[in-house]
Amino acid sequence: MTRTRRAAVLLAVAGLVSGCGIRATTVPVDVGAAPSRVSCDTPQPQTGVQGFRATVELVCGSQLVGVERVVPVPEKKPVRDPVVLVAEALLEALERDPSAEERDAGFTTGVPGGLTVAPARTGDPAGTIRISRKPEDLPPVALSQVVCTLAGSEAVSAGPGPVVLGGPDADPPRAWECTEAVRSRPESVPTLGELVRPTPQPS
C-alpha cells in the first residue's frame, strides 16, 4: 500500500465514531475440502450495525477462513491512535462468540477474552502492535487468528508481510507471518516469531 493510500485509510478510521467506515482487505483463503458436517459458507455481514467492514479469521474445518463482518468501534474509549483503535476492535471481534448463522456453518473462535492493545513503546519498530498478553503465551490457534486478521487489515498492516507483535512487558516484539501453512494448520503456528531488533534512537 502506498503511503498516501494508507494515510487515507487511517484518516477514515479516525472518523469511525462519527459513522465513517473503511473496508479492510479481504484475504482470499483456499480452505480445501471441509468435513461434511460443516459448510464453512461465509454469511453476509450484518446490516444496521455501526462500524467498519473487515475480514476476521475464524476457525472452520480445522482451518482459518476469512469472514467479512461489520466491526463495531470499541465503546467508552477515547479516540486514540487509529491503528490502536482498529487493532483493538478486531481483537474484540475475534473474542466474540460467532453468530448463530456462523455457528451453523461450522465457525468457531479460539481467541480468549480480555485482550487489549497499547501503543508501541519507544524504540519499537514501526507498525508494532502491543497486546496485553505475550503473543507466544496465546494458544496457537488464537495466535494464528490474531496474526492473520491483523495482517489482512489495511488500517493495521502497511502492506504484505509479517505482523510485528509485542506483549505488555519490555521484551522486544517479534514478527509473525500469516502463510498458507498457518491458515491450513493454525494449531501448528511456530512457537516464536522472528525477533525484531529495537529501532536505534538518535544520540
Side-chain angles (χ1 to χ4, degrees):
M1 181 189 301
T2 65
R3 289 186 178 180
T4 302
R5 186 181 176 196
R6 187 166 190 248
V9 170
L10 293 179
L11 286 174
V13 172
L16 286 177
V17 292
S18 62
C20 297
I22 63 168
R23 176 182 292 273
T25 300
T26 301
V27 181
V29 180
D30 180 6
V31 299
S36 58
R37 66 180 180 275
V38 296
S39 68
C40 293
D41 290 335
T42 55
Q44 293 297 315
Q46 289 180 302
T47 57
V49 178
Q50 182 177 353
F52 62 96
R53 288 182 181 269
T55 298
V56 298
E57 299 289 339
L58 301 180
V59 182
C60 192
S62 302
Q63 302 180 62
L64 295 188
V65 180
V67 176
E68 189 175 352
R69 283 182 176 175
V70 177
V71 178
V73 179
E75 297 180 357
K76 300 180 181 178
K77 295 188 179 181
V79 176
R80 301 171 294 174
D81 178 351
V83 173
V84 173
L85 186 68
V86 172
E88 188 150 307
L90 292 172
L91 290 185
E92 290 186 4
L94 288 171
E95 293 169 3
R96 285 196 296 271
D97 291 333
S99 66
E101 190 177 4
E102 290 168 345
R103 290 196 304 271
D104 289 343
F107 289 98
T108 62
T109 184
V111 178
L115 291 179
T116 58
V117 180
R121 293 172 175 265
T122 301
D124 281 348
T128 296
I129 301 294
R130 288 270 179 182
I131 60 177
S132 54
R133 285 181 60 178
K134 286 186 176 182
E136 54 267 32
D137 288 346
L138 291 173
V141 171
L143 179 57
S144 295
Q145 287 183 256
V146 169
V147 168
C148 288
T149 297
L150 296 181
S153 170
E154 288 187 349
V156 175
S157 176
V163 173
V164 181
L165 291 178
D169 53 23
D171 289 349
R174 294 178 179 271
W176 307 84
E177 288 196 86
C178 178
T179 63
E180 288 306 314
V182 170
R183 292 183 185 283
S184 62
R185 299 191 64 186
E187 77 285 351
S188 61
V189 67
T191 304
L192 290 178
E194 180 181 355
L195 189 66
V196 181
R197 295 181 179 276
T199 302
Q201 298 298 305
S203 56

